[in-house]
Amino acid sequence: QVQLVESGGGSVQAGGSLRLSCAGSGRTFSRNTMGWFRQAPGKEREFVAAISWNGESTNYADSVKGRVTISRDNAKNTVSLQMNSLKPEDTAVYFCAARAGLYGSTTNNHRDYDYWGQGTQVTVSS
């Protein structure tokens, strides 16, 4: 079992930056693939980024590539999402997620993730 708690959301102007953090608990955290997803009102949940258990493999949505960096610190059981050059279309609730299987791939399919945090709101104004 993995429990996840996100933090770091907020309101920024377009062009600004935010750093989201996800604190995880559970004895397998360091071996779980982790992902970030987002969901805007009236839209489906959308993949943002994923990182492998050891941080050596990452995967990004085209919409955020070059502006977003995912990283993890297994010693602290945390995963972070650094977001730069934010746009109004980045406005959404951001969710941290973990795959239950060990050493899994950095899939962009939300159905492959088994544990979810409660989400943190990111609002970007123009």
Side-chain angles (χ1 to χ4, degrees), residues 2-5 22-26 29 34 76-79 96:
V2 176
Q3 294 181 325
L4 305 169
V5 178
C22 174
S25 63
F29 181 90
M34 300 295 298
K76 297 181 179 179
N77 274 15
T78 58
V79 176
C96 177

Side-chain angles (χ1 to χ4, degrees), residues 30-50:
S30 64
R31 293 172 287 170
N32 295 122
T33 293
M34 300 295 298
W36 284 95
F37 291 78
R38 66 187 182 186
Q39 189 164 18
K43 294 188 176 181
E44 293 188 355
R45 192 160 296 192
E46 176 189 24
F47 171 75
V48 178

Side-chain angles (χ1 to χ4, degrees), residues 5 17 24 29 32 40 43 54 57 59 65 69 93 98 100 102 117:
V5 178
S17 298
F29 181 90
N32 295 122
K43 294 188 176 181
N54 59 2
S57 178
N59 186 12
K65 201 170 291 184
T69 302
V93 177
L102 304 182

Side-chain angles (χ1 to χ4, degrees), residues 15-114:
S17 298
L18 278 176
R19 185 176 181 87
L20 307 183
S21 293
C22 174
S25 63
R27 58 188 180 89
T28 66
F29 181 90
S30 64
R31 293 172 287 170
N32 295 122
T33 293
M34 300 295 298
W36 284 95
F37 291 78
R38 66 187 182 186
Q39 189 164 18
K43 294 188 176 181
E44 293 188 355
R45 192 160 296 192
E46 176 189 24
F47 171 75
V48 178
I51 188 167
S52 62
W53 67 278
N54 59 2
E56 291 186 356
S57 178
T58 57
N59 186 12
Y60 294 95
D62 288 342
S63 59
V64 302
K65 201 170 291 184
R67 301 188 296 121
V68 165
T69 302
I70 188 171
S71 60
R72 68 188 298 162
D73 185 340
N74 286 341
K76 297 181 179 179
N77 274 15
T78 58
V79 176
S80 297
L81 190 71
Q82 177 66 44
M83 302 189 295
N84 301 321
S85 302
L86 283 163
K87 305 175 181 180
E89 51 263 42
D90 293 319
T91 295
V93 177
Y94 283 70
F95 297 91
C96 177
R99 299 192 67 184
L102 304 182
Y103 314 117
S105 67
T106 53
T107 173
N108 61 6
N109 189 337
H110 67 87
R111 295 179 180 85
D112 292 328
Y113 291 79
D114 304 280

